[in-house]
């Protein structure tokens, strides 16, 4: 996750790096998710168990990857990033959860809120490989 923090005098918005990916949208989406997974950084200072990677892959398109187990500090960092992700993902949001080590109720609430806010803005939202309990809570049962 590469986030540029603007100077103190600028508005308090973070900027999500956009990866320069050629090809069609499907290929850009796939490669952005892979890049977010590969470059996931600790979600909070001192928290080596949870990591977040974020990449933009086109206008209004954002990929986010979660890795490890999120404690309270990790969830708070994710909640802080969620506002910028929501603003940037006006067209599409892909959330890769394949590296998540379980999902507690707090993390499920943060993810559900982000998902609902993006859907309310008519953005397409994809969840990749959510833990079974999270998939069930979000109404995405596995066959």
């Amino acid at each position: 996750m590469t986030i540029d923090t603007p100077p103190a005098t600028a508005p308090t918005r973070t900027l999500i790096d956009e990866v320069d990916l050629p090809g069609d949208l499907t290929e850009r989406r796939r490669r952005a998710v892979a890049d977010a997974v590969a470059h996931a950084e600790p979600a909070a200072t001192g928290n080596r168990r949870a990591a977040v990677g974020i990449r933009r892959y086109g206008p209004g398109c954002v990929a986010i990857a979660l890795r490890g187990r999120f404690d309270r500090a990790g969830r708070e960092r994710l909640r802080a990033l969620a506002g910028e992700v929501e603003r940037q993902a006006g067209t599409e949001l892909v959330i890769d959860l394949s590296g998540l080590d379980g999902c507690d109720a707090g993390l499920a609430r943060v993810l559900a809120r982000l998902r609902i806010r993006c859907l309310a803005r008519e953005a397409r939202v994809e969840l990749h490989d959510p833990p079974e309990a999270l998939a069930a809570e979000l109404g995405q049962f596995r066959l």
Side-chain angles (χ1 to χ4, degrees):
M1 166 180 65
T2 305
I3 303 281
D4 297 326
T5 306
T9 58
T12 58
R13 290 179 61 165
T14 57
L15 303 173
I16 301 169
D17 276 355
E18 182 167 358
V19 288
D20 183 26
L21 299 171
D24 63 35
L25 180 61
T26 302
E27 179 63 15
R28 286 195 324 264
R29 181 185 307 119
R30 186 191 66 74
R31 290 180 60 192
V33 168
D35 196 45
V37 168
H39 295 96
E41 295 178 4
T45 305
N47 184 347
R48 300 237 181 259
R49 295 178 297 182
V52 179
I54 305 173
R55 291 293 183 268
R56 213 168 55 170
Y57 56 94
C61 300
V62 176
I64 183 170
L66 304 183
R67 297 282 167 266
R69 180 169 288 283
F70 281 73
D71 61 10
R72 182 181 173 108
R75 288 189 306 270
E76 290 303 317
R77 177 67 178 141
L78 182 59
R79 185 176 286 119
L81 290 170
E84 183 61 22
V85 169
E86 178 189 335
R87 282 188 291 278
Q88 296 279 334
T91 304
E92 184 171 283
L93 174 64
V94 177
I95 305 172
D96 181 272
L97 302 166
S98 62
L100 203 58
D101 294 336
C103 183
D104 66 8
L107 182 58
R109 283 190 298 273
V110 172
L111 291 172
R113 180 175 292 157
L114 175 60
R115 180 175 175 252
I116 289 167
R117 287 182 175 174
C118 287
L119 288 170
R121 297 178 66 213
E122 298 183 6
R124 180 174 172 258
V125 178
E126 281 184 20
L127 295 179
H128 289 210
D129 299 319
E132 194 170 321
L134 178 61
E137 187 164 329
L138 296 176
Q140 297 189 339
F141 298 98
R142 297 180 184 187
L143 300 176

